[in-house]
Amino acid sequence: MAVYQDGNLRIRPVAEKDLPRLWELSVKEEAPEWKKWDAPYYEHKAVPFEKYAANKENLVDQDNFWAIEADGELIGTVSYYWEHKPSYWLEMGIVIYHPSYWSGGYGTRALTLWIDRLFETLPLVRVGFTTWSGNRRMIRVGEKLGFTMEARLRKCRLYNGVFYDSIRMGMLREEWEEVKSKRKG
């Protein structure tokens, strides 16, 4: 099994034994805390475990959906989807489910490992992610990692009666190589 590790944090493919915990963290509740930050303008519904587990072929051992562990505990997931596969344009994402792991560097470290893996295993020229202006932590992670804000679509996300901007951030392979060399240096 492929594993990328940074000290007590690692990312790896989701295993079938992870499904009960992933379900508990992600879709057991109708209104989990993490959903307030991860695209809250999209509807979220609780899902019974049986229905969640029935989708295991899209969750277990997938190239585009991995688990994040800290000290052996499952705390989140990293993922990607193809925006336009013929031109190798993908968007990535991350969710750290439990608030006790927020603002502790786990997301930055997990995304660093994920970006390394994406550039090592796919013929990509660029990686990117989309968030919203209400998610300051995600924007900050992008800035810390050296991403460029490539687009700000103004007032196109409505949440709790307030309009927010949609934010697109990206990084080219050569920029990531430069960031990595500075980290090592």
Side-chain angles (χ1 to χ4, degrees):
M1 171 173 73
V3 173
Y4 285 69
Q5 190 153 351
D6 174 9
N8 69 334
L9 185 120
R10 70 184 196 152
I11 63 170
R12 60 165 176 77
V14 171
E16 192 162 346
K17 69 177 176 55
D18 297 322
L19 293 180
R21 181 66 178 145
L22 270 179
W23 167 76
E24 202 173 78
L25 291 168
S26 64
V27 291
K28 179 182 178 184
E29 296 177 29
E30 193 68 38
E33 185 70 19
W34 66 268
K35 189 59 181 157
K36 292 178 184 174
W37 307 104
D38 183 49
Y41 34 82
Y42 290 126
E43 185 179 22
H44 176 84
K45 289 188 179 260
V47 174
F49 178 72
E50 296 72 27
K51 185 175 180 180
Y52 183 78
N55 189 36
K56 71 180 181 182
E57 68 277 354
N58 294 314
L59 303 169
V60 174
D61 253 349
Q62 297 301 303
D63 185 56
N64 66 337
F65 184 73
W66 279 27
I68 304 169
E69 286 183 351
D71 296 316
E73 181 181 346
L74 187 63
I75 66 165
T77 55
V78 285
S79 61
Y80 74 81
Y81 67 90
W82 291 105
E83 188 78 39
H84 187 248
K85 194 170 184 176
S87 60
Y88 306 112
W89 176 11
L90 66 69
E91 292 278 298
M92 63 177 182
I94 182 170
V95 179
I96 305 289
Y97 294 104
H98 199 280
S100 63
Y101 290 98
W102 297 349
S103 300
Y106 295 99
T108 301
R109 291 167 57 207
L111 273 182
T112 298
L113 295 171
W114 190 234
I115 295 164
D116 279 345
R117 178 184 175 271
L118 294 176
F119 277 133
E120 286 173 15
T121 61
L122 296 169
L124 303 174
V125 175
R126 174 197 174 277
V127 296
F129 66 87
T130 302
T131 190
W132 61 299
S133 59
N135 191 344
R136 300 291 312 142
R137 284 190 296 267
M138 189 64 195
I139 294 167
R140 180 68 189 119
V141 166
E143 291 168 347
K144 279 196 298 190
L145 291 175
F147 277 70
T148 298
M149 186 178 299
E150 297 173 333
R152 176 182 286 269
L153 304 163
R154 297 176 299 156
K155 293 189 175 186
C156 62
R157 295 294 186 197
L158 180 61
Y159 176 58
N160 285 342
V162 177
F163 283 96
Y164 293 89
D165 300 345
S166 180
I167 308 292
R168 282 215 158 176
M169 298 186 84
M171 165 123 16
L172 302 177
R173 178 183 291 271
E174 58 267 23
E175 294 167 340
W176 185 247
E177 292 302 323
E178 189 175 321
V179 166
K180 279 177 57 172
S181 70
K182 287 180 183 174
R183 249 189 356 240
K184 290 178 183 176

